[in-house]
Amino acid sequence: MEVIKLPKKFRMVCYDIMDGKNEALNTLETFSEQFPHQVAAVKAEVAYFNMDYNRALDLDLTILPYLEEWYYSNVSDQHMIAMAITSLVLHREEEVLDAFRREQERIRAENGWQQRDRYCDILMNYIRQGQMPFADDTKNHPYNEPEEAKSKEQLWKEIQEKNKKLTLDSVDGKRRLYNFCCMFGHAKDAVELFEELSGAPMAESSYTDAIARYLYLGERDKAIQTAEKLATSRLWAVAGPTQVRPMTFFEDLNLRDFIMEESTLRKIREAAYIDDGSQIRK
């Protein structure tokens, strides 16, 4: 199966949809004949974030055998986990199980992506158990501090022993200490450093780690605000132009809880519409 390269006109329409311009969905339809699977993927993402799960799942079922048309596996993984989740919500488990089984048969017959074959197995096991994917395998849901958590002062001393040039006045120094606090320290120290790093470039995991610790500390509003900042950062739109909604949120259990609640979903969706200028459009 060949990877599909999308023309600039299609990509620009996707950016408009990402920005929340609903009229761009009509323009998208003009590409339906030439790029049916990519159009369906965009429409599915919009539907997921409108909580129109039946429509989203119907669309994803049509494109499941064609997800290898995307160069990066991020897109297929995100759509497949969303399918598994919504199958449980909608009680359409057997339909999705059958689709995943047929997809495995296709992959094996065509010598396709082996990791997708394994991913089908993983998701099918969760569906059969009636369990949300990865609910039993995460360090952040629920998060608990290490039994022997270290203070940020202790951790900074350890960092400086190996990185004598780092200073706490620098972004790099604070970022390193933040990561150490997330791994070995106290939640309160971690979120304080996260707030000090506001405006500095950070990885998606930095946001999700902060969210987990805010929830641990009982600061749900700050956790939601951080999820909104992550949505605005568009760190989730790295694998292809059809990523018009933060589908990575389905992969993180804390974020998943937020987008499956109407009031918080609305905030996150609107935050994702904001173009903060960090994304290069090409």
Side-chain angles (χ1 to χ4, degrees):
M1 192 177 300
E2 291 186 6
V3 172
I4 300 298
K5 186 174 181 180
L6 297 168
K8 186 172 183 178
K9 285 184 179 180
F10 188 107
R11 300 196 302 270
M12 293 302 113
V13 171
C14 289
Y15 288 130
D16 284 342
I17 294 168
M18 189 186 296
D19 292 343
K21 297 175 182 176
N22 290 328
E23 64 275 12
L25 289 166
N26 295 326
T27 309
L28 180 73
E29 291 294 346
T30 64
F31 295 96
S32 292
E33 188 172 335
Q34 190 176 4
F35 304 106
H37 310 133
Q38 288 68 32
V39 168
V42 171
K43 289 160 69 174
E45 295 198 4
V46 171
Y48 280 121
F49 277 78
N50 288 337
M51 298 188 88
D52 189 353
Y53 295 143
N54 273 306
R55 175 169 169 74
L57 184 53
D58 287 343
L59 287 162
D60 265 349
L61 284 167
T62 67
I63 66 170
L64 180 62
Y66 305 100
L67 285 171
E68 289 176 26
E69 291 182 351
W70 279 261
Y71 183 79
Y72 294 104
S73 63
N74 308 50
V75 174
S76 63
D77 288 353
Q78 290 160 15
H79 279 254
M80 288 170 68
I81 195 170
M83 291 174 70
I85 291 164
T86 51
S87 77
L88 292 165
V89 172
L90 300 170
H91 305 295
R92 293 175 62 179
E93 296 95 336
E94 289 304 320
E95 187 178 359
V96 172
L97 284 170
D98 183 58
F100 283 166
R101 280 191 291 267
R102 283 186 278 109
E103 178 61 3
Q104 284 187 310
E105 291 171 3
R106 184 200 64 77
I107 291 168
R108 293 165 188 174
E110 298 178 10
N111 196 25
W113 289 355
Q114 297 304 307
Q115 67 266 34
R116 290 194 62 234
D117 187 349
R118 291 192 295 272
Y119 201 52
C120 284
D121 270 334
I122 292 168
L123 293 177
M124 285 193 293
N125 284 335
Y126 280 112
I127 294 171
R128 291 189 191 104
Q129 295 166 21
Q131 185 177 19
M132 285 292 183
F134 309 114
D136 60 343
D137 183 28
T138 177
K139 62 184 174 65
N140 276 340
H141 188 278
Y143 166 77
N144 286 297
E145 283 190 350
E147 288 185 9
E148 297 182 4
K150 297 180 181 180
S151 69
K152 63 181 177 183
E153 290 77 17
Q154 288 175 296
L155 292 170
W156 180 244
K157 186 177 179 181
E158 291 178 13
I159 291 169
Q160 281 210 304
E161 285 174 359
K162 296 182 179 179
N163 302 272
K164 297 187 184 301
K165 292 184 179 180
L166 274 182
T167 69
L168 261 180
D169 294 330
S170 69
V171 170
D172 286 344
K174 285 181 181 176
R175 190 185 288 119
R176 182 73 63 88
L177 182 55
Y178 169 67
N179 290 333
F180 268 59
C181 283
C182 285
M183 291 186 288
F184 311 114
H186 295 284
K188 188 173 184 297
D189 289 339
V191 296
E192 284 177 358
L193 284 160
F194 178 80
E195 290 170 10
E196 289 178 25
L197 284 163
S198 178
M202 286 188 281
E204 186 172 358
S205 60
S206 297
Y207 288 90
T208 55
D209 283 344
I211 288 165
R213 283 147 187 80
Y214 278 129
L215 291 171
Y216 171 78
L217 294 167
E219 299 187 66
R220 192 170 189 272
D221 287 346
K222 285 191 175 181
I224 294 169
Q225 289 165 12
T226 304
E228 292 176 53
K229 290 176 183 176
L230 175 56
T232 299
S233 76
R234 295 191 174 172
L235 288 167
W236 42 270
V238 295
T242 60
Q243 289 182 297
V244 297
R245 296 290 184 269
M247 294 289 287
T248 57
F249 282 38
F250 280 105
E251 297 177 305
D252 180 274
L253 274 76
N254 292 318
L255 294 173
R256 185 189 305 172
D257 287 347
F258 291 160
I259 62 172
M260 299 194 79
E261 182 181 314
E262 189 171 357
S263 60
T264 49
L265 169 66
R266 184 177 63 254
K267 292 177 181 178
I268 289 166
R269 184 178 62 224
E270 290 175 358
Y273 291 162
I274 299 169
D275 177 14
D276 68 355
S278 62
Q279 186 180 42
I280 299 172
R281 303 189 176 208
K282 56 184 181 179

